[in-house]
Protein backbone atom coordinates (compact mmCIF):
# COMPACT_ATOMS: atom_id res chain seq x y z
CA UNK A 1 0.00 0.00 0.00
CA UNK A 2 1.34 3.20 -1.14
CA UNK A 3 1.26 6.01 1.26
CA UNK A 4 0.60 9.45 -0.09
CA UNK A 5 2.34 12.21 1.45
CA UNK A 6 1.04 15.66 1.41
CA UNK A 7 3.16 18.47 1.81
CA UNK A 8 2.05 21.94 2.26
CA UNK A 9 2.95 22.65 -1.27
CA UNK A 10 1.06 19.55 -2.44
CA UNK A 11 -2.04 20.62 -0.68
CA UNK A 12 -1.87 23.91 -2.41
CA UNK A 13 -1.50 22.23 -5.72
CA UNK A 14 -4.59 20.09 -5.15
CA UNK A 15 -6.62 23.14 -4.31
CA UNK A 16 -5.53 24.85 -7.43
CA UNK A 17 -6.49 21.85 -9.52
CA UNK A 18 -9.98 21.80 -7.92
CA UNK A 19 -10.41 25.49 -8.49
CA UNK A 20 -9.48 25.03 -12.08
CA UNK A 21 -12.12 22.30 -12.46
CA UNK A 22 -14.86 24.35 -10.66
CA UNK A 23 -16.87 26.70 -13.08
CA UNK A 24 -16.50 30.39 -12.47
CA UNK A 25 -19.43 32.71 -11.46
CA UNK A 26 -19.45 34.28 -14.91
CA UNK A 27 -19.67 30.85 -16.46
CA UNK A 28 -22.65 29.95 -14.23
CA UNK A 29 -24.49 33.18 -15.18
CA UNK A 30 -23.97 32.56 -18.82
CA UNK A 31 -25.16 28.98 -18.46
CA UNK A 32 -28.31 30.11 -16.63
CA UNK A 33 -29.22 32.56 -19.39
CA UNK A 34 -28.76 29.88 -22.00
CA UNK A 35 -30.86 27.39 -20.04
CA UNK A 36 -33.61 29.99 -19.57
CA UNK A 37 -33.62 30.90 -23.22
CA UNK A 38 -33.98 27.28 -24.17
CA UNK A 39 -36.37 26.14 -21.45
CA UNK A 40 -38.97 29.02 -21.33
CA UNK A 41 -40.28 28.64 -24.92
CA UNK A 42 -40.48 24.94 -24.35
CA UNK A 43 -42.62 25.42 -21.26
CA UNK A 44 -44.85 27.94 -23.05
CA UNK A 45 -45.25 25.55 -25.95
CA UNK A 46 -46.27 22.79 -23.58
CA UNK A 47 -48.85 24.95 -21.79
CA UNK A 48 -50.35 27.03 -24.65
CA UNK A 49 -52.14 25.24 -27.51
CA UNK A 50 -50.73 25.43 -30.97
CA UNK A 51 -52.44 27.55 -33.60
CA UNK A 52 -53.47 24.46 -35.51
CA UNK A 53 -54.72 22.76 -32.38
CA UNK A 54 -58.43 23.21 -31.44
CA UNK A 55 -59.32 23.86 -27.83
CA UNK A 56 -60.46 20.86 -25.96
CA UNK A 57 -64.23 20.40 -26.03
CA UNK A 58 -65.98 19.88 -22.75
CA UNK A 59 -66.60 16.36 -21.82
CA UNK A 60 -69.78 14.95 -23.30
CA UNK A 61 -72.61 14.35 -20.92
CA UNK A 62 -73.72 10.80 -20.38
CA UNK A 63 -76.55 9.66 -22.65
CA UNK A 64 -79.94 11.03 -21.58
CA UNK A 65 -78.49 13.84 -19.48
CA UNK A 66 -78.20 17.56 -20.24
CA UNK A 67 -75.51 19.63 -18.71
CA UNK A 68 -77.00 22.82 -17.28
CA UNK A 69 -75.02 25.99 -17.90
CA UNK A 70 -73.87 27.60 -14.77
CA UNK A 71 -75.68 30.90 -14.15
CA UNK A 72 -73.57 34.03 -14.26
CA UNK A 73 -72.70 35.36 -10.89
CA UNK A 74 -75.46 37.61 -9.56
CA UNK A 75 -74.70 41.27 -9.57
CA UNK A 76 -75.55 43.15 -6.45
CA UNK A 77 -78.78 45.23 -6.78
CA UNK A 78 -78.24 48.98 -6.62
CA UNK A 79 -79.82 50.63 -3.63
CA UNK A 80 -83.36 52.01 -4.35
CA UNK A 81 -83.58 55.68 -5.25
CA UNK A 82 -85.25 57.83 -2.67
CA UNK A 83 -88.98 58.40 -3.42
CA UNK A 84 -89.79 61.78 -4.97
CA UNK A 85 -92.02 63.93 -2.83
CA UNK A 86 -95.64 63.99 -4.12
CA UNK A 87 -96.56 67.11 -6.12
CA UNK A 88 -98.63 69.60 -4.18
CA UNK A 89 -102.38 69.32 -4.76
CA UNK A 90 -103.81 72.04 -7.00
CA UNK A 91 -106.33 74.40 -5.49
CA UNK A 92 -109.50 75.14 -7.47
CA UNK A 93 -111.74 78.16 -6.91
CA UNK A 94 -115.21 78.25 -8.51
CA UNK A 95 -116.91 81.60 -9.18
CA UNK A 96 -119.65 83.30 -11.20
CA UNK A 97 -120.10 86.71 -12.75
CA UNK A 98 -122.28 88.93 -10.62
CA UNK A 99 -124.97 91.14 -12.14
CA UNK A 100 -123.27 93.95 -14.07
CA UNK A 101 -119.79 92.68 -13.21
CA UNK A 102 -116.95 92.64 -15.73
CA UNK A 103 -114.83 89.51 -16.09
CA UNK A 104 -111.69 91.40 -15.05
CA UNK A 105 -113.37 92.45 -11.81
CA UNK A 106 -114.55 88.90 -11.14
CA UNK A 107 -111.05 87.49 -11.71
CA UNK A 108 -109.48 89.92 -9.25
CA UNK A 109 -112.24 89.15 -6.78
CA UNK A 110 -111.13 85.50 -7.08
CA UNK A 111 -107.53 86.36 -6.15
CA UNK A 112 -105.96 86.90 -9.59
CA UNK A 113 -103.42 89.72 -9.64
CA UNK A 114 -103.84 92.81 -11.79
CA UNK A 115 -101.05 91.86 -14.24
CA UNK A 116 -102.33 88.31 -14.70
CA UNK A 117 -105.88 89.62 -15.10
CA UNK A 118 -104.80 91.94 -17.89
CA UNK A 119 -102.95 89.11 -19.67
CA UNK A 120 -105.90 86.73 -19.24
CA UNK A 121 -108.45 89.16 -20.68
CA UNK A 122 -106.16 89.82 -23.63
CA UNK A 123 -105.76 86.09 -24.25
CA UNK A 124 -109.53 85.51 -24.11
CA UNK A 125 -110.59 88.19 -26.59
CA UNK A 126 -110.24 85.98 -29.68
CA UNK A 127 -112.39 83.24 -28.14
CA UNK A 128 -115.04 85.08 -26.10
CA UNK A 129 -117.35 88.01 -26.78
CA UNK A 130 -116.62 89.97 -23.60
CA UNK A 131 -119.67 92.18 -24.10
CA UNK A 132 -121.83 89.09 -24.47
CA UNK A 133 -120.93 87.68 -21.05
CA UNK A 134 -123.94 87.69 -18.79
CA UNK A 135 -124.46 87.45 -15.06
CA UNK A 136 -124.16 83.86 -13.88
CA UNK A 137 -121.44 82.85 -16.34
CA UNK A 138 -119.20 80.46 -14.39
CA UNK A 139 -115.44 80.15 -14.34
CA UNK A 140 -112.71 78.31 -12.39
CA UNK A 141 -109.31 79.55 -11.21
CA UNK A 142 -106.70 76.84 -10.55
CA UNK A 143 -103.68 77.51 -8.29
CA UNK A 144 -100.45 75.62 -7.46
CA UNK A 145 -99.18 76.05 -3.87
CA UNK A 146 -95.46 76.94 -3.58
CA UNK A 147 -93.03 75.88 -0.84
CA UNK A 148 -92.73 79.52 0.13
CA UNK A 149 -96.37 79.53 1.15
CA UNK A 150 -97.43 81.61 -1.85
CA UNK A 151 -99.38 80.19 -4.80
CA UNK A 152 -98.99 80.35 -8.57
CA UNK A 153 -101.79 80.75 -11.12
CA UNK A 154 -101.98 77.63 -13.32
CA UNK A 155 -105.07 78.09 -15.50
CA UNK A 156 -108.51 79.63 -15.82
CA UNK A 157 -111.56 77.82 -17.26
CA UNK A 158 -114.46 79.93 -18.53
CA UNK A 159 -117.83 78.42 -19.44
CA UNK A 160 -119.87 80.53 -21.84
CA UNK A 161 -121.74 80.38 -25.17
CA UNK A 162 -120.50 80.79 -28.74
CA UNK A 163 -122.09 83.29 -31.10
CA UNK A 164 -124.60 80.60 -32.14
CA UNK A 165 -125.48 79.77 -28.55
CA UNK A 166 -123.40 76.57 -28.41
CA UNK A 167 -121.97 75.82 -24.94
CA UNK A 168 -118.26 76.65 -25.03
CA UNK A 169 -115.45 75.95 -22.55
CA UNK A 170 -112.43 78.24 -22.86
CA UNK A 171 -109.17 77.12 -21.22
CA UNK A 172 -106.34 79.61 -20.56
CA UNK A 173 -103.13 77.98 -19.28
CA UNK A 174 -99.92 79.58 -18.07
CA UNK A 175 -96.84 78.63 -20.09
CA UNK A 176 -93.56 79.01 -18.13
CA UNK A 177 -90.92 81.41 -19.39
CA UNK A 178 -88.28 79.83 -21.68
CA UNK A 179 -85.17 78.68 -19.78
CA UNK A 180 -82.95 80.48 -22.26
CA UNK A 181 -85.00 83.69 -22.06
CA UNK A 182 -86.23 84.11 -18.51
CA UNK A 183 -86.65 87.82 -19.08
CA UNK A 184 -89.55 87.08 -21.47
CA UNK A 185 -91.72 85.96 -18.56
CA UNK A 186 -94.65 83.55 -18.54
CA UNK A 187 -97.49 83.84 -21.04
CA UNK A 188 -100.97 82.40 -21.43
CA UNK A 189 -102.05 79.92 -24.12
CA UNK A 190 -105.75 79.76 -24.97
CA UNK A 191 -107.94 77.12 -26.60
CA UNK A 192 -111.66 76.37 -26.58
CA UNK A 193 -114.00 73.44 -27.05
CA UNK A 194 -117.59 73.70 -28.30
CA UNK A 195 -120.20 71.09 -27.43
CA UNK A 196 -121.17 68.98 -30.50
CA UNK A 197 -124.41 69.94 -32.24
CA UNK A 198 -127.08 67.27 -32.54
CA UNK A 199 -130.10 67.50 -34.85
CA UNK A 200 -133.28 65.69 -33.84
CA UNK A 201 -136.52 65.30 -35.82
CA UNK A 202 -139.59 65.91 -33.65
CA UNK A 203 -143.32 65.91 -34.22
CA UNK A 204 -145.51 68.63 -32.64
CA UNK A 205 -149.22 69.35 -32.69
CA UNK A 206 -151.82 71.67 -31.21
CA UNK A 207 -155.17 73.40 -31.63
CA UNK A 208 -155.98 77.07 -32.16
CA UNK A 209 -158.02 78.73 -29.43
CA UNK A 210 -157.18 82.37 -30.01
CA UNK A 211 -154.40 82.45 -32.62
CA UNK A 212 -151.85 80.15 -34.21
CA UNK A 213 -149.09 82.18 -32.57
CA UNK A 214 -150.54 81.73 -29.08
CA UNK A 215 -151.26 78.06 -29.68
CA UNK A 216 -147.64 77.26 -30.54
CA UNK A 217 -146.33 79.24 -27.59
CA UNK A 218 -148.67 77.30 -25.29
CA UNK A 219 -147.21 74.08 -26.73
CA UNK A 220 -143.79 75.18 -25.47
CA UNK A 221 -142.42 76.32 -28.82
CA UNK A 222 -140.92 79.63 -29.91
CA UNK A 223 -142.16 82.34 -32.27
CA UNK A 224 -139.57 81.32 -34.87
CA UNK A 225 -141.46 78.07 -35.43
CA UNK A 226 -144.68 80.03 -36.04
CA UNK A 227 -143.03 81.90 -38.89
CA UNK A 228 -141.50 78.74 -40.35
CA UNK A 229 -144.89 77.02 -40.25
CA UNK A 230 -146.63 79.99 -41.86
CA UNK A 231 -143.98 80.04 -44.61
CA UNK A 232 -145.04 76.54 -45.72
CA UNK A 233 -148.58 77.73 -46.47
CA UNK A 234 -147.75 81.38 -47.23
CA UNK A 235 -149.22 81.08 -50.75
CA UNK A 236 -152.41 79.22 -49.76
CA UNK A 237 -153.58 80.29 -46.28
CA UNK A 238 -154.00 83.86 -45.03
CA UNK A 239 -153.29 83.39 -41.34
CA UNK A 240 -154.23 87.01 -40.65
CA UNK A 241 -157.87 86.53 -41.73
CA UNK A 242 -158.66 82.84 -42.20
CA UNK A 243 -157.57 81.45 -38.81
CA UNK A 244 -160.50 80.13 -36.74
CA UNK A 245 -160.94 78.75 -33.28
CA UNK A 246 -160.63 74.94 -33.42
CA UNK A 247 -158.16 74.88 -36.32
CA UNK A 248 -155.48 72.19 -35.86
CA UNK A 249 -151.81 72.18 -36.71
CA UNK A 250 -149.17 69.45 -36.94
CA UNK A 251 -145.54 69.73 -37.90
CA UNK A 252 -142.46 67.51 -38.27
CA UNK A 253 -139.43 69.73 -37.76
CA UNK A 254 -135.71 69.53 -37.13
CA UNK A 255 -134.48 70.76 -33.74
CA UNK A 256 -130.84 71.52 -32.99
CA UNK A 257 -129.28 70.85 -29.57
CA UNK A 258 -125.81 71.17 -28.04
CA UNK A 259 -124.84 70.17 -24.52
CA UNK A 260 -128.50 69.65 -23.66
CA UNK A 261 -129.30 73.22 -24.71
CA UNK A 262 -131.91 73.97 -27.42
CA UNK A 263 -130.30 76.05 -30.17
CA UNK A 264 -133.09 76.50 -32.67
CA UNK A 265 -135.15 75.01 -35.45
CA UNK A 266 -133.90 73.53 -38.69
CA UNK A 267 -136.05 72.58 -41.67
CA UNK A 268 -139.78 72.02 -41.52
CA UNK A 269 -139.97 68.58 -43.18
CA UNK A 270 -143.75 68.20 -43.14
CA UNK A 271 -146.66 70.35 -42.00
CA UNK A 272 -150.46 70.12 -41.81
CA UNK A 273 -153.02 72.83 -41.08
CA UNK A 274 -156.71 72.01 -40.80
CA UNK A 275 -158.65 75.21 -41.41
CA UNK A 276 -162.44 75.11 -41.11
CA UNK A 277 -162.32 71.35 -41.72
CA UNK A 278 -160.14 71.60 -44.83
CA UNK A 279 -156.67 70.06 -44.51
CA UNK A 280 -153.61 71.67 -46.09
CA UNK A 281 -150.41 69.62 -46.18
CA UNK A 282 -146.91 70.36 -47.37
CA UNK A 283 -143.76 68.21 -47.64
CA UNK A 284 -140.24 69.48 -48.25
CA UNK A 285 -138.85 67.40 -51.11
CA UNK A 286 -135.46 67.37 -52.83
CA UNK A 287 -135.06 64.90 -55.72
CA UNK A 288 -132.07 62.56 -55.57
CA UNK A 289 -130.60 64.06 -58.77
CA UNK A 290 -131.00 67.59 -57.39
CA UNK A 291 -133.09 68.70 -60.37
CA UNK A 292 -136.32 69.40 -58.45
CA UNK A 293 -136.77 70.78 -54.95
CA UNK A 294 -139.59 72.55 -53.16
CA UNK A 295 -142.67 72.08 -51.03
CA UNK A 296 -145.37 69.82 -52.48
CA UNK A 297 -148.63 68.27 -51.40
CA UNK A 298 -149.34 64.52 -51.58
CA UNK A 299 -150.26 64.75 -55.27
CA UNK A 300 -147.06 66.51 -56.28
CA UNK A 301 -148.62 69.97 -56.64
CA UNK A 302 -146.25 72.78 -55.69
CA UNK A 303 -147.48 74.91 -52.80
CA UNK A 304 -145.54 77.89 -54.04
CA UNK A 305 -147.48 80.42 -56.04
CA UNK A 306 -146.48 83.44 -58.05
CA UNK A 307 -147.63 85.78 -55.22
CA UNK A 308 -147.33 85.49 -51.43
CA UNK A 309 -150.40 86.12 -49.31
CA UNK A 310 -148.60 88.65 -47.09
CA UNK A 311 -145.58 90.98 -47.34
CA UNK A 312 -144.10 90.22 -43.90
CA UNK A 313 -143.95 87.68 -41.11
CA UNK A 314 -147.06 87.06 -39.07
CA UNK A 315 -148.42 90.24 -37.52
CA UNK A 316 -151.81 91.73 -36.73
CA UNK A 317 -154.00 93.41 -39.34
CA UNK A 318 -154.99 96.82 -37.97
CA UNK A 319 -157.08 97.95 -40.94
CA UNK A 320 -158.53 95.97 -43.86
CA UNK A 321 -159.31 96.98 -47.43
CA UNK A 322 -162.52 99.02 -47.93
CA UNK A 323 -164.41 101.98 -46.51
CA UNK A 324 -163.21 103.10 -43.07
CA UNK A 325 -162.96 106.13 -40.80
CA UNK A 326 -159.62 107.78 -41.48
CA UNK A 327 -157.89 108.48 -38.15
CA UNK A 328 -155.98 111.50 -39.48
CA UNK A 329 -158.49 113.07 -41.84
CA UNK A 330 -161.35 112.44 -39.42
CA UNK A 331 -163.85 111.21 -42.06
CA UNK A 332 -164.88 108.04 -43.86
CA UNK A 333 -162.65 107.23 -46.77
CA UNK A 334 -161.92 104.25 -48.97
CA UNK A 335 -158.84 102.40 -47.66
CA UNK A 336 -156.95 101.20 -50.71
CA UNK A 337 -154.97 98.44 -49.01
CA UNK A 338 -154.29 96.51 -45.81
CA UNK A 339 -152.48 97.86 -42.76
CA UNK A 340 -150.21 95.54 -40.73
CA UNK A 341 -149.26 96.65 -37.23
CA UNK A 342 -145.62 95.83 -36.47
CA UNK A 343 -142.69 97.38 -34.61
CA UNK A 344 -140.45 99.82 -36.42
CA UNK A 345 -137.61 97.95 -38.10
CA UNK A 346 -139.62 94.81 -38.95
CA UNK A 347 -138.48 93.52 -42.40
CA UNK A 348 -140.87 93.94 -45.35
CA UNK A 349 -140.49 91.77 -48.45
CA UNK A 350 -141.73 91.80 -52.01
CA UNK A 351 -144.66 89.40 -52.50
CA UNK A 352 -143.47 88.40 -56.00
CA UNK A 353 -140.69 88.80 -58.52
CA UNK A 354 -140.66 92.20 -60.16
CA UNK A 355 -138.95 95.51 -60.89
CA UNK A 356 -138.91 98.52 -58.54
CA UNK A 357 -140.92 101.28 -60.20
CA UNK A 358 -140.57 103.87 -57.44
CA UNK A 359 -138.50 104.18 -54.24
CA UNK A 360 -138.95 107.69 -52.84
CA UNK A 361 -140.41 109.86 -50.08
CA UNK A 362 -144.00 111.15 -50.17
CA UNK A 363 -145.56 113.60 -47.75
CA UNK A 364 -148.54 111.26 -47.29
CA UNK A 365 -147.09 107.76 -47.94
CA UNK A 366 -143.74 108.53 -46.31
CA UNK A 367 -140.92 106.34 -47.55
CA UNK A 368 -142.70 104.34 -50.26
CA UNK A 369 -141.82 101.56 -52.70
CA UNK A 370 -143.83 100.51 -55.75
CA UNK A 371 -143.00 97.21 -57.50
CA UNK A 372 -144.21 96.25 -60.98
CA UNK A 373 -144.95 92.52 -61.45
CA UNK A 374 -146.05 90.38 -64.39
CA UNK A 375 -149.61 90.30 -65.75
CA UNK A 376 -150.17 94.00 -65.02
CA UNK A 377 -150.04 93.66 -61.20
CA UNK A 378 -148.43 96.36 -59.04
CA UNK A 379 -147.83 96.33 -55.28
CA UNK A 380 -147.29 99.26 -52.87
CA UNK A 381 -145.37 99.45 -49.56
CA UNK A 382 -145.89 102.70 -47.58
CA UNK A 383 -144.67 104.40 -44.35
CA UNK A 384 -141.31 102.60 -44.32
CA UNK A 385 -138.56 103.72 -41.96
CA UNK A 386 -135.81 102.69 -44.37
CA UNK A 387 -135.16 101.18 -47.81
CA UNK A 388 -133.08 98.01 -48.05
CA UNK A 389 -129.65 98.27 -49.66
CA UNK A 390 -129.80 98.44 -53.44
CA UNK A 391 -133.52 99.27 -53.59
CA UNK A 392 -134.04 102.05 -56.12
CA UNK A 393 -136.03 102.63 -59.29
CA UNK A 394 -135.11 99.98 -61.88
CA UNK A 395 -133.80 97.39 -59.38
CA UNK A 396 -134.98 93.81 -59.87
CA UNK A 397 -136.35 91.99 -56.82
CA UNK A 398 -137.22 88.38 -56.05
CA UNK A 399 -140.18 86.98 -54.20
CA UNK A 400 -139.68 87.34 -50.42
CA UNK A 401 -136.62 89.54 -50.86
CA UNK A 402 -136.46 92.19 -48.10
CA UNK A 403 -137.00 95.63 -49.62
CA UNK A 404 -137.46 97.85 -46.56
CA UNK A 405 -138.31 98.18 -42.86
CA UNK A 406 -141.60 99.03 -41.15
CA UNK A 407 -141.80 102.63 -39.97
CA UNK A 408 -144.06 105.57 -39.14
CA UNK A 409 -143.28 108.07 -41.89
CA UNK A 410 -145.73 110.26 -43.83
CA UNK A 411 -149.38 110.54 -42.75
CA UNK A 412 -149.35 107.89 -40.05
CA UNK A 413 -150.49 107.57 -36.44
CA UNK A 414 -148.23 104.65 -35.49
CA UNK A 415 -145.66 102.17 -36.70
CA UNK A 416 -147.24 100.02 -39.42
CA UNK A 417 -147.06 98.94 -43.07
CA UNK A 418 -149.67 99.92 -45.64
CA UNK A 419 -149.75 97.25 -48.35
CA UNK A 420 -151.66 97.94 -51.57
CA UNK A 421 -152.25 96.03 -54.81
CA UNK A 422 -153.37 97.20 -58.25
CA UNK A 423 -154.57 95.24 -61.31
CA UNK A 424 -154.43 97.10 -64.60
CA UNK A 425 -154.01 100.37 -62.68
CA UNK A 426 -156.94 99.93 -60.26
CA UNK A 427 -156.71 99.09 -56.57
CA UNK A 428 -158.04 95.66 -55.51
CA UNK A 429 -158.36 93.81 -52.19
CA UNK A 430 -155.10 91.82 -51.83
CA UNK A 431 -156.88 89.22 -49.65
CA UNK A 432 -159.33 88.25 -52.39
CA UNK A 433 -156.85 87.76 -55.23
CA UNK A 434 -156.24 84.28 -56.67
CA UNK A 435 -152.91 83.42 -58.20
CA UNK A 436 -151.77 80.28 -60.05
CA UNK A 437 -149.56 77.65 -58.44
CA UNK A 438 -146.05 76.98 -59.61
CA UNK A 439 -145.59 73.99 -61.91
CA UNK A 440 -146.22 70.56 -60.34
CA UNK A 441 -143.42 68.05 -60.06
CA UNK A 442 -142.80 66.16 -63.35
CA UNK A 443 -144.42 62.73 -63.71
CA UNK A 444 -141.10 60.89 -63.74
CA UNK A 445 -140.50 62.09 -60.15
CA UNK A 446 -143.92 61.18 -58.73
CA UNK A 447 -142.92 57.70 -57.50
CA UNK A 448 -139.82 59.09 -55.78
CA UNK A 449 -141.94 61.79 -54.14
CA UNK A 450 -144.48 59.25 -52.87
CA UNK A 451 -141.75 57.06 -51.34
CA UNK A 452 -140.20 60.12 -49.71
CA UNK A 453 -143.35 61.55 -48.12
CA UNK A 454 -144.91 58.22 -47.00
CA UNK A 455 -143.09 58.05 -43.61
CA UNK A 456 -143.60 61.79 -43.04
CA UNK A 457 -147.32 61.50 -43.74
CA UNK A 458 -147.55 58.56 -41.32
CA UNK A 459 -145.75 60.60 -38.68
CA UNK A 460 -148.15 63.52 -39.15
CA UNK A 461 -151.18 61.28 -38.87
CA UNK A 462 -149.79 59.66 -35.71
CA UNK A 463 -149.58 62.98 -33.87
CA UNK A 464 -152.24 63.48 -31.22
CA UNK A 465 -155.09 65.78 -32.00
CA UNK A 466 -155.24 68.49 -29.38
Amino acid sequence: MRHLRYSKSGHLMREQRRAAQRPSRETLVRAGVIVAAVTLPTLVALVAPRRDQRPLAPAAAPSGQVLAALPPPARPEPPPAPAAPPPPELERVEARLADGEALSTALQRSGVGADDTSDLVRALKDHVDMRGLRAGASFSVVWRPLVTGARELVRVELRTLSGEGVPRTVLVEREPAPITQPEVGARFLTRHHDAPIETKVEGLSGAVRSSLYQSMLEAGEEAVLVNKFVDVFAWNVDFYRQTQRGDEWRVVVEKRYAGGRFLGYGKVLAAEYVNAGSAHRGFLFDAADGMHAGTYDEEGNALQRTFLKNPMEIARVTSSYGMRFHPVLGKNKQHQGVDYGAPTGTPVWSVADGVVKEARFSSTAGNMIVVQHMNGITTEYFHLSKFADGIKAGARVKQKQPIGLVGNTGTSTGSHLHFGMLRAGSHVDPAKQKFPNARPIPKEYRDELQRFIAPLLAQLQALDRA
Side-chain angles (χ1 to χ4, degrees):
M1 178 174 183
R2 190 174 60 179
H3 298 277
L4 296 178
R5 295 183 178 181
Y6 294 93
S7 63
K8 181 182 289 187
S9 60
H11 177 76
L12 177 62
M13 293 177 63
R14 284 194 301 272
E15 291 297 327
Q16 288 177 348
R17 285 195 299 268
R18 291 176 183 172
Q21 294 174 359
R22 188 182 305 125
S24 66
R25 179 177 296 179
E26 181 179 356
T27 303
L28 290 174
V29 171
R30 289 178 180 176
V33 171
I34 294 172
V35 170
V38 174
T39 308
L40 184 60
T42 305
L43 292 175
V44 172
L46 291 174
V47 175
R50 297 197 308 269
R51 292 184 179 179
D52 59 347
Q53 182 180 8
R54 295 182 181 178
L56 294 177
S63 178
Q65 296 184 11
V66 178
L67 291 179
L70 293 176
R75 294 182 179 180
E77 293 291 334
E89 292 187 3
L90 299 179
E91 298 176 2
R92 188 182 189 92
V93 177
E94 299 289 344
R96 290 181 180 274
L97 286 181
D99 189 19
E101 186 178 35
L103 178 60
S104 57
T105 304
L107 287 171
Q108 294 189 45
R109 173 169 55 82
S110 302
V112 181
D115 290 342
D116 281 344
T117 295
S118 178
D119 292 341
L120 284 168
V121 171
R122 191 180 303 111
L124 283 166
K125 282 185 177 179
D126 291 337
H127 301 262
V128 178
D129 179 8
M130 294 298 181
R131 293 176 297 180
L133 291 175
R134 296 290 182 264
S138 65
F139 63 93
S140 306
V141 181
V142 180
W143 304 90
R144 178 185 293 111
L146 303 178
V147 294
T148 60
R151 58 182 184 175
E152 178 185 38
L153 178 63
V154 177
R155 64 179 178 270
V156 171
E157 300 173 15
L158 175 64
R159 291 166 287 278
T160 181
L161 300 176
S162 70
E164 297 180 351
V166 177
R168 168 176 291 182
T169 300
V170 186
L171 183 64
V172 189
E173 292 183 291
R174 179 189 292 275
E175 182 185 56
I179 298 177
T180 57
Q181 296 177 294
E183 70 280 359
V184 174
R187 62 173 180 167
F188 291 102
L189 300 180
T190 309
R191 65 181 187 274
H192 71 263
H193 170 72
D194 290 347
I197 298 176
E198 180 183 9
T199 300
K200 298 180 180 180
V201 177
E202 300 183 13
L204 311 166
S205 63
V208 174
R209 292 177 174 81
S210 58
S211 68
L212 175 65
Y213 178 87
Q214 190 62 35
S215 176
M216 287 195 171
L217 293 186
E218 290 173 354
E221 303 306 319
E222 298 180 0
V224 175
L225 181 60
V226 181
N227 294 322
K228 284 182 171 288
F229 184 88
V230 169
D231 284 348
V232 175
F233 304 106
W235 300 271
N236 302 279
V237 179
D238 186 346
F239 289 94
Y240 299 107
R241 301 176 182 81
Q242 294 177 235
T243 302
Q244 299 181 17
R245 182 180 177 84
D247 286 356
E248 299 173 356
W249 58 271
R250 296 174 184 82
V251 61
V252 178
V253 62
E254 295 176 341
K255 283 188 172 184
R256 298 166 63 244
Y257 296 88
R261 175 185 174 87
F262 173 65
L263 300 180
Y265 301 96
K267 299 175 183 177
V268 172
L269 304 178
E272 177 184 87
Y273 188 71
V274 181
N275 174 236
S278 178
H280 302 268
R281 297 189 185 96
F283 303 89
L284 185 63
F285 173 69
D286 189 358
D289 61 7
M291 297 300 295
H292 292 275
T295 305
Y296 301 88
D297 63 14
E298 304 97 305
E299 305 301 324
N301 298 312
L303 298 192
Q304 183 177 359
R305 296 176 184 265
T306 53
F307 281 77
L308 293 168
K309 285 284 187 178
N310 301 292
M312 58 192 302
E313 290 184 347
I314 191 167
R316 58 191 177 90
V317 174
T318 56
S319 183
S320 299
Y321 181 90
M323 190 64 68
R324 67 161 186 174
F325 181 79
H326 198 285
V328 176
L329 301 178
K331 62 180 182 180
N332 288 332
K333 188 176 184 298
Q334 177 72 16
H335 186 225
Q336 307 283 23
V338 178
D339 288 348
Y340 297 90
T344 297
T346 302
V348 174
W349 55 59
S350 175
V351 295
D353 294 353
V355 178
V356 176
K357 186 177 179 182
E358 297 179 60
R360 61 183 179 86
F361 178 80
S362 164
S363 59
T364 54
N367 290 322
M368 56 174 285
I369 296 174
V370 178
V371 180
Q372 183 68 54
H373 307 283
M374 64 179 188
N375 299 328
I377 299 177
T378 304
T379 52
E380 301 171 327
Y381 311 83
F382 294 170
H383 309 299
L384 301 173
S385 62
K386 184 180 179 181
F387 300 144
D389 292 343
I391 297 300
K392 59 184 180 180
R396 292 188 175 276
V397 294
K398 293 291 186 180
Q399 187 180 70
K400 211 175 181 181
Q401 176 183 333
I403 57 176
L405 304 176
V406 171
N408 187 29
T409 58
T411 305
S412 171
T413 59
S415 180
H416 74 288
L417 169 72
H418 170 92
F419 173 65
M421 181 176 288
L422 298 86
R423 277 184 180 269
S426 299
H427 281 97
V428 294
D429 185 353
K432 295 181 179 179
Q433 305 309 302
K434 302 295 183 182
F435 299 103
N437 286 38
R439 291 182 179 179
I441 197 166
K443 292 182 179 180
E444 57 267 30
Y445 291 90
R446 294 288 176 88
D447 290 343
E448 182 183 350
L449 173 66
Q450 293 301 320
R451 291 192 302 271
F452 180 82
I453 70 174
L456 293 173
L457 179 60
Q459 191 170 353
L460 282 177
Q461 294 173 338
L463 292 173
D464 293 336
R465 296 179 179 271

